[in-house]
Amino acid sequence: MANPLTSAAPAHAEQPDTRRWLALILLCTANFMVILDSQIVIMALPPISEALHLTPEAAQWVINANLLTFGGLLLLGGRLADLLGRRRIFILGTVLFLLVSVASGLAPNAEVLIAARALHGVSAALMAPTALSILSTTFAEGAPRNKALSLWAGIAGIGAVTALLIGGALASIGWQWIFFVNVPVALIMLVISPLLLRESRDAGIPRTYDVAGALTSTTGLVLLVYAVVVAPVQGWLSPVTLGLIAASGVLFALFVVIERRSSAPLVPLNIFRKPNLTGGNLAMVTMGMLAFGFSVTISQYSQIVLGLSPLEFGLRQAIMPAMAFIGAYVGQRFVTRLGFRPVAAVCLVLLGAGSLIMALTATGSMSYGATFLALVPFGVGLGLGTTAASAAALSGVAYSESGLASGFNTAAQQVGGGLGVAVVLTVIASYAPAVASPTAGFQAAFAACVVFAIVGLVITLTMMRSKRATDAALAAPTPALNHL
């Protein structure tokens, strides 16, 4: 009998159906908590700043510290899961998540809170890609995995709006509770994880660690994310931003050289020969730009121009994640029948349509009708697209590389989200001093989201394979899949 700690067989081959769906609920809960924690901090930043006497720069770093470590360590976190065991890394990430939640809530000053938020990014970089990797190795490619991914995508949308709905209420009790709310959920996850999750790693992977590859890729990602973070303040063409982007590019080039020469590379470069992995992740970047960019723009427009309270805004926004959940459920059926490309294309058309409606109607009116008309297609498109892009990015990936592929997919969404926020904030700021109309900058930012959708549509149509080509590729034996 094979040792479960080093099993090379996919987990879904042995795991009972009831147990794997319970495991899916656990994995989706982890994804929900990562998103909830990241978003709720944004809502509670004003009372945190007041209580800890944070300067505007320090307050921004409460968010940026988490973004840097989360985005920078995703590839490493996913690869560690492949090497050391997916359940083991997931539990390690959950333990760290629990500890930093307590530390954040007890933080007496800005320095401790920022350090805790940086460590939270580390915990999220271990939990999120590992959870997605366990999902992909628990559910067989095709209809079962697509259905699981639809729940994963739908829960993500619910996590974002839940942060909007409960963030203000928890912060009014005491800002510490936005962190303490994580504690009981993390404890429950730690108790049931060993019962529901099967340990898995590939015995065929040499447990040799590519230190040089890890350092260059992680540092390159951190610099890239940092460039995106500072660009709205420093300017996209400033020496600081351009220098960070250039340094990131040099490190990624060095990373490629190291991986070519490594006997046990962190990222086997032949993984990029899978068209759906590359196309799915690039499409996910644009979807992340749309999801985060649109959300930040409509949030600021609703609260600054329309004067809505955070709770009023959250209630008005609730239709979008509800439609995303529906879109994700419907999307998995169409992905199974039609393939990734047409579903992702429809998604981007719907996201672009929702953005266009807001660009044309964000004139300062208190009417909810136009906003509702924008949020419905945008929400459906978001659910469709996340399911299709994730399914594409994970298709045809060897069992031994599922953690790495999951890390790429999560990193694509996070980097895209950071880039989308940076672009729309830059657009809004650029209109503020020159244009008298208070809505011009927001309309331009929504128009930028339309451009994101067009770019994503071009990527989807040119880089994703059709269903026939995908099925043929998956049916053909390849060296990467022979050991399954």
Side-chain angles (χ1 to χ4, degrees):
M1 181 177 295
N3 184 347
L5 292 178
T6 58
S7 174
H12 58 72
E14 301 176 6
Q15 198 166 24
D17 190 69
T18 302
R19 183 179 168 190
R20 66 175 181 163
W21 287 106
L22 290 174
L24 176 62
I25 294 173
L26 170 63
L27 299 173
C28 288
T29 300
N31 190 36
F32 174 88
M33 294 307 296
V34 168
I35 292 172
L36 175 70
D37 185 272
S38 298
Q39 295 295 314
I40 206 170
V41 172
I42 298 173
M43 293 294 297
L45 199 55
I48 292 174
S49 300
E50 182 179 354
L52 297 182
H53 308 291
L54 303 183
T55 64
E57 293 76 13
Q60 193 62 33
W61 273 104
V62 173
I63 298 173
N64 292 344
N66 173 73
L67 180 62
L68 282 175
T69 51
F70 187 19
L73 294 172
L74 278 166
L75 291 185
L76 185 59
R79 196 53 170 165
L80 284 176
D82 291 332
L83 292 170
L84 300 179
R86 297 177 181 93
R87 185 179 71 178
R88 182 179 301 164
I89 296 299
F90 178 79
I91 291 176
L92 175 62
T94 306
V95 169
L96 185 56
F97 179 78
L98 171 63
L99 294 176
V100 297
S101 295
V102 174
S104 297
L106 297 176
N109 53 49
E111 291 76 14
V112 173
L113 181 58
I114 291 172
R117 298 311 296 161
L119 286 174
H120 173 267
V122 177
S123 72
L126 294 175
M127 288 174 64
T130 304
L132 186 57
S133 174
I134 295 173
L135 182 154
S136 70
T137 56
T138 300
F139 293 88
E141 188 166 337
R145 185 184 296 174
N146 295 340
K147 187 177 294 185
L149 285 172
S150 72
L151 185 59
W152 173 272
I155 290 296
I158 293 174
V161 79
T162 301
L164 297 173
L165 292 174
I166 71 173
L170 287 175
S172 66
I173 301 172
W175 64 267
Q176 296 88 345
W177 286 100
I178 70 167
F179 302 113
F180 291 152
V181 72
N182 299 332
V183 174
V185 180
L187 286 172
I188 293 172
M189 289 168 56
L190 286 174
V191 170
I192 64 177
S193 290
L195 302 176
L196 294 179
L197 302 181
R198 179 181 179 274
E199 183 59 285
S200 63
R201 73 174 182 86
D202 197 292
I205 304 178
R207 296 181 69 173
T208 303
Y209 301 101
D210 179 13
V211 177
L215 286 174
T216 51
S217 63
T218 299
T219 308
L221 269 175
V222 167
L223 291 179
L224 178 60
V225 174
Y226 186 51
V228 168
V229 166
V230 303
V233 177
Q234 297 287 338
W236 286 94
L237 299 179
S238 70
V240 172
T241 304
L242 293 178
L244 288 168
I245 293 174
S248 175
V250 169
L251 284 169
F252 283 132
L254 181 59
F255 171 71
V256 171
V257 173
I258 291 170
E259 299 307 277
R260 287 184 182 276
R261 297 181 178 182
S262 176
S263 59
L266 176 73
V267 179
L269 297 180
N270 62 4
I271 197 172
F272 295 110
R273 295 176 184 172
K274 305 178 189 301
N276 280 331
L277 180 139
T278 304
N281 282 324
L282 288 177
M284 182 63 85
V285 169
T286 61
M287 292 174 193
M289 293 172 71
L290 278 154
F292 286 79
F294 182 91
S295 295
V296 166
T297 305
I298 199 169
S299 173
Q300 292 207 6
Y301 169 72
S302 298
Q303 296 181 65
I304 294 174
V305 178
L306 300 184
L308 301 180
S309 69
L311 181 59
E312 288 173 325
F313 168 68
L315 291 172
R316 285 194 173 203
Q317 280 279 99
I319 185 62
M320 186 171 76
M323 297 310 297
F325 194 89
I326 294 172
Y329 179 76
V330 173
Q332 55 89 16
R333 293 175 174 267
F334 284 109
V335 167
T336 302
R337 294 177 183 177
L338 305 176
F340 315 119
R341 187 166 66 182
V343 178
V346 170
C347 144
L348 288 156
V349 170
L350 291 173
L351 292 175
S355 301
L356 182 61
I357 292 172
M358 287 304 302
L360 296 175
T361 62
T363 58
S365 170
M366 288 295 289
S367 172
Y368 181 55
T371 304
F372 183 86
L373 289 177
L375 292 176
V376 169
F378 196 93
V380 173
L382 202 58
L384 286 172
T386 306
T387 302
S390 295
L394 297 174
S395 67
V397 173
Y399 181 71
S400 61
E401 296 172 347
S402 63
L404 178 63
S406 299
F408 272 120
N409 190 241
T410 311
Q413 188 175 39
Q414 289 300 312
V415 171
L419 185 58
V421 170
V423 170
V424 298
L425 289 180
T426 301
V427 170
I428 292 170
S430 68
Y431 273 76
V435 180
S437 171
T439 63
F442 296 105
Q443 289 180 295
F446 285 124
C449 291
V450 177
V451 175
F452 300 161
I454 293 171
V455 172
L457 184 61
V458 172
I459 290 172
T460 296
L461 294 177
T462 57
M463 297 193 66
M464 278 194 192
R465 286 188 174 186
S466 65
K467 179 173 171 59
R468 181 177 299 177
T470 300
D471 290 344
L474 293 176
T478 65
L481 297 174
N482 283 343
H483 72 280
L484 298 183

